Amino acid sequence: MAIAFQVSAALRPFAGGRDRVEIGGSPSTVADALEALWILCPGLRDRILTEEGQIREHVNLFVGQENVRYTGGLATPIQAGTEISVFHAVSGG
Amino acid sequence: MEQLIGHYRVTGKIGEGGMGVVYRAHDEVLNRDVALKVLADTPLIESLGKDHLLHEARAGSALNHPNICTVYEVIDDEGTLYIAMELIEGKSLTALIGQTGLPVESVLRYGVQIAAALAHAHGRRVVHHDLKSANVVVTPDGLVKVLDFGLARRIPAEASADQTMTFRTPGSPGEVSGTLFYMPPEILRGEPGDARSDLWALGVVLYEAASGELPFRGKTAFEISSAILNEMPPPLPSRIPPGLWAIIQRSLAKQPSERYQQASEVKAALEAVESASITGAQPASQPTAYRTTVSRGTRQLRINNGDVLLMVGTTKGAFLLRSTSKRSRWEVAGPYFHGHGVYAMAYDDREGRHRLWASTSNYWGTFLRSSDDFGRTWTNPIEANVKFPVDCGTSLSNIWQILVGNQDGQVMYCGVEPAALFESRDSGGTWSLVRSLFDHPHRPRWTPGNGGLALHTILQDPVNPQRIYIAISAGGVYRSDDGGSTWNARNRGIRVVYQPEKYPEFGQCVHKIVLHRDRPERLFLQNHWGLYRSDDAGDNWQDIAGGVPSDFGFAMAMHPHDPDCVYVLPVESDEFRCTPDGRLRVFRTRNAGGSWEALSRGLPQKGAYETVLRDGMTVDTLQPAGVYFGTRSGQVFGSSDEGKTWKSVISGLPSIVCVKAVVIGEPRAARSESRRTRRPVRAKKKRAARGR
């Protein structure tokens, strides 16, 4: 089964107008999956990660139901069929 | 027709190129058909052709790749040169592309093969230098062959002008080779090309293959060259996947350093898009990620020459306000960039443009956006256009200032947080970090203020564009006299209150500096406590705060026609950053800080605890000058009589962080001239001197 990203509405213009992007290959970590995602949807990279390659402060990635900040960050392992969701955090003023 | 050249029997003519005629021939020894290229008989080719053809043959014969036309041998037959090469049956890519372009699958399949050919050649230090769709042939079974490494040279090349002459283009110092539509900016600028020049040409071919159109168009060589140097390619049709569009855009970066660095990278990226798939529950609704139409009920403006345009950036989006030169009623458009902080806006009217710039910042990062149609559409870059190189170990938080350079038609600057300066030499197409400032030994000791560590102000001397000032909170003022190559702190006389040393070399929390184009060596400065003037380009500063209720403040604006006239908007203190006594008052000096007068007619004088931030005040260039400011409470006030009387322009906006004013259709040079005509600057200076 393919690995899929679910992206929030603000990012859809950079995902071909879709809210769901499936990637090929067999990435073993979130970082690997993101690398595959950038190739398909390069506009997502600078919106999800900083120049230093860190997840933006107010962006959250979930593998299944778990926020990757608590499961190993970008090194969080994934397997076939994993769904990764991208949300912005509850923040702002 | 049948003629014997060496052991080749010529059987027919295939076609003609810029440098030679190509015949179909039969190799009598190896019993195979070949293509035989022979030097054409023209004066230009007579002068250039033999060496060139030899060069072509040598370069080509070094390459052995399934996607490169194989060169078999070179024959010198009594002074006439012939090249025997692989005979390829197929159609040129130009013919296949036609008017509408190829299916995406074909673009990717052919693109991968062209990139493979280039990767092979570049790996053997051979650059094509004339890649174009006409030089690519596709066989009936879909095999791509790149032809005519006819302008190829080895890397590093000996710059050999006579080797590369084919036609002249305006604006280039010499003559340049290749077909102009495919020519990269660096070649047009007279710089030596390298393998990345081929990657630009590949980007042009991919664009052409995807759309049937060339990315840079024009009726004359000048127009084409100008488009290549200055413009971004128009968006591709919606059927083109964003991944392919991104590859093309990166290949067409104006600066070679911003492109892919190797053909193998392009090949890998194309293969990845080719092998991947996007599935979605919803159909694509956005035509492209590159340029987005602002919608959601946003009202648009119709702008006429002579109108005044106010650009208002807030913490939740941008607004545009338009008025005639009377400035009595304002038409409002926006919000643009819902929910984004817009801390910097600018207007570029150089070279006939009407380009608005805005920096936008939210959860998803900070981007520079531009609009050439007064806000109807805004660019939405795929990649962040301003970002720190990876080795800097830091990431962009915000863009605080956008400066449109005042001399060269291409230069722009951005001041960002964390404090750094970025420069563009192609009108904002590409940006690079100014390393000399980033590597300044003072930088580790700059400290963030309440708003972060920001380089928020950039001034370019209007007479000497090599002189640039920047202001950092909290780092102080720095000046470069060599176009940004070196920087020196210029803070002598500026007091700090938050550390034991009161007059340090640097570290001041400068909130704003301004200068007047008619007297650029004089600067005014609003500090974190303190108002100052320098009469020697920042070498020394003197206190001019006598007469204001508080010398704490952020905003400062220079009168457009009077180099002695400055506006400030004091707030009570560091702790209570609101207008003193609940009275909203602008203070103006008309004698370069000798004295200050309160301007309050029409402004609320009771219960008005307002804050105007450092970019919240601006002026227009009309006569009499308009003065405007926006508050953190979302109100904009304006004066059309240089501050004597004020009116509310709009209220109810989100918290305002920047206000910029511009008069549309008034060329910069004309503005400058009209100012000098309208106001006798010298007489005014004498008056000011007497006043002090």
Side-chain angles (χ1 to χ4, degrees), chain B residues 270-492:
Chain B
L270 289 167
E271 284 173 335
V273 175
E274 192 178 29
S275 64
S277 64
I278 297 182
T279 61
Q282 301 169 4
S285 56
Q286 294 283 343
T288 168
Y290 173 70
R291 182 176 283 270
T292 181
T293 300
V294 179
S295 53
R296 292 192 278 188
T298 303
R299 188 177 170 184
Q300 304 297 339
L301 295 179
R302 183 183 293 273
I303 307 283
N304 300 310
N305 270 349
D307 283 352
V308 179
L309 183 70
L310 282 185
M311 296 174 275
V312 180
T314 78
T315 53
K316 296 296 173 191
F319 296 81
L320 297 175
L321 286 77
R322 182 205 76 92
S323 181
T324 65
S325 58
K326 290 182 179 172
R327 296 160 287 180
S328 54
R329 289 194 303 179
W330 293 86
E331 187 184 351
V332 184
Y336 304 98
F337 321 118
H338 280 68
H340 294 244
V342 179
Y343 279 70
M345 298 187 81
Y347 176 66
D348 183 359
D349 61 352
R350 298 172 300 181
E351 299 183 336
R353 296 185 197 99
H354 293 291
R355 182 170 296 164
L356 308 182
W357 284 97
S359 74
T360 67
S361 190
N362 76 345
Y363 317 106
W364 309 108
T366 298
F367 296 84
L368 269 184
R369 318 274 291 266
S370 66
S371 173
D372 288 339
D373 51 15
F374 292 111
R376 288 178 189 276
T377 58
W378 292 87
T379 56
N380 197 1
I382 288 177
E383 289 187 36
N385 28 21
V386 175
K387 56 182 173 182
F388 285 96
V390 173
D391 67 287
C392 291
T394 191
S395 297
L396 186 71
S397 290
N398 206 351
I399 297 172
W400 283 77
Q401 191 64 246
I402 304 165
L403 179 77
V404 175
N406 55 0
Q407 287 278 326
D408 185 308
Q410 310 292 324
V411 174
M412 293 180 68
Y413 295 98
C414 268
V416 309
E417 174 190 350
L421 184 66
F422 283 80
E423 178 187 43
S424 171
R425 293 193 170 274
D426 57 4
S427 303
T430 55
W431 294 85
S432 56
L433 176 68
V434 175
R435 287 276 185 177
S436 53
L437 186 66
F438 189 79
D439 294 334
H440 198 286
H442 291 175
R443 190 177 72 85
R445 292 165 64 193
W446 297 339
T447 53
N450 189 46
L453 177 58
L455 192 163
H456 52 72
T457 303
I458 312 160
L459 302 174
Q460 188 178 25
D461 187 307
V463 177
N464 170 17
Q466 293 295 301
R467 173 168 283 180
I468 305 163
Y469 304 89
I470 54 107
I472 296 167
S473 179
V477 175
Y478 285 77
R479 190 183 82 203
S480 172
D481 291 327
D482 52 15
S485 298
T486 59
W487 297 87
N488 290 299
R490 285 289 176 269
N491 301 293
R492 188 181 302 152

Side-chain angles (χ1 to χ4, degrees), chain B residues 70 115 158 161 207 243 369 436 444 458 499 519 545 587:
Chain B
T70 305
E158 295 297 326
Y207 186 102
R369 318 274 291 266
S436 53
I458 312 160
Q499 65 182 48
R519 192 165 177 176
F587 281 77

